[in-house]
Amino acid sequence: MADPDEVLGRLRGLADPARLEGMARHGIGGAETLGVTVAELRALAKELGRSHELAAGLWDSGVHEARILASLVEDPAAVTERQLDAWAAAFDSWDVCDQVCQNLVRHTPFAWARALEWSGRPETFVKRAGFAVMAGLAVADERSDDDRFEPFLRAVAERADDDRPLVRKGASWALRQIGKRSPGLHARAVETAWELRSGGRGARWVATDALRELERRAPR
């Protein structure tokens, strides 16, 4: 197994502080950010392979890029619900939230349950994570039928009225990706969006944003 300290050293060798200002402008970063691109992280992860122990060490470092790398090297079959909840509670940046959800959470046996539970939580990044997992499952899950996504549509309808930009953007993302799966889900997503138009300011924003894409193209 690769040593976490050794991998952190490699990350620091890839760091480019000149990138930090641009990352900060886009809300990217955390307590300690190095300035390593996602492309560089993916290349390193491919070299390192999967390791539950390495992922734990990288996550515990608290380094922004190390936490994204942890989601890339973690073994989805080795994680627990408790671990996922602990990681979600520690999210401090939208990109770490989204990367962990797309690289790891959606591939675990707990993805469907976590999507529904997290989307009902009050914390900004945890709630966004719930919607991000919904979006990820809509893209990656090729086996589930349309009915399995009905609880997600209900959750969006009930929880999208949120004025926090990171949350409402996550809700729109989930709604749009679900609507792309099939003609039936497209019709349901459009229906859900129109229902949201009669809600509060956050719900109306989600409806407008989602309909902009959903009404432009429907799956065949």
Side-chain angles (χ1 to χ4, degrees), residues 113-177:
R114 297 267 82 55
L116 286 174
E117 181 177 336
W118 289 348
S119 67
R121 293 278 292 275
E123 304 95 325
T124 298
F125 290 114
V126 180
K127 188 170 183 179
R128 179 186 174 93
F131 291 129
V133 176
M134 292 181 194
L137 287 169
V139 172
D141 189 303
E142 298 179 351
R143 299 179 181 178
S144 296
D145 60 21
D146 288 2
D147 288 345
R148 196 170 189 192
F149 288 88
E150 281 293 331
F152 288 177
L153 290 169
R154 290 196 295 272
V156 172
E158 295 168 0
R159 301 166 182 175
D161 193 7
D162 196 309
D163 283 337
R164 292 172 292 183
L166 289 174
V167 175
R168 67 191 187 192
K169 288 179 180 178
S172 174
W173 182 17
L175 189 56
R176 287 182 283 114
Q177 293 305 125

Side-chain angles (χ1 to χ4, degrees), residues 68-210:
I68 294 176
L69 183 59
S71 73
L72 290 164
V73 302
E74 178 62 282
D75 179 1
V79 302
T80 64
E81 291 179 286
R82 184 175 181 179
Q83 176 188 337
L84 292 181
D85 287 338
W87 282 25
F91 291 156
D92 60 358
S93 176
W94 67 265
D95 64 315
V96 170
C97 170
D98 292 0
Q99 287 289 332
V100 171
C101 290
Q102 303 312 310
N103 298 335
L104 177 62
V105 181
R106 69 176 179 177
H107 301 293
T108 71
F110 316 112
W112 292 84
R114 297 267 82 55
L116 286 174
E117 181 177 336
W118 289 348
S119 67
R121 293 278 292 275
E123 304 95 325
T124 298
F125 290 114
V126 180
K127 188 170 183 179
R128 179 186 174 93
F131 291 129
V133 176
M134 292 181 194
L137 287 169
V139 172
D141 189 303
E142 298 179 351
R143 299 179 181 178
S144 296
D145 60 21
D146 288 2
D147 288 345
R148 196 170 189 192
F149 288 88
E150 281 293 331
F152 288 177
L153 290 169
R154 290 196 295 272
V156 172
E158 295 168 0
R159 301 166 182 175
D161 193 7
D162 196 309
D163 283 337
R164 292 172 292 183
L166 289 174
V167 175
R168 67 191 187 192
K169 288 179 180 178
S172 174
W173 182 17
L175 189 56
R176 287 182 283 114
Q177 293 305 125
I178 293 170
K180 293 176 185 177
R181 279 188 66 90
S182 70
L185 282 174
H186 180 267
R188 285 287 294 113
V190 169
E191 179 183 342
T192 300
W194 277 98
E195 291 173 2
L196 289 171
R197 293 195 69 170
S198 62
R201 183 171 63 179
R204 294 195 303 271
W205 187 95
V206 171
T208 300
D209 189 63

Side-chain angles (χ1 to χ4, degrees), residues 16-31:
D16 182 355
R19 296 169 175 156
L20 297 179
E21 183 177 352
M23 293 169 68
R25 281 199 303 271
H26 291 90
I28 296 173

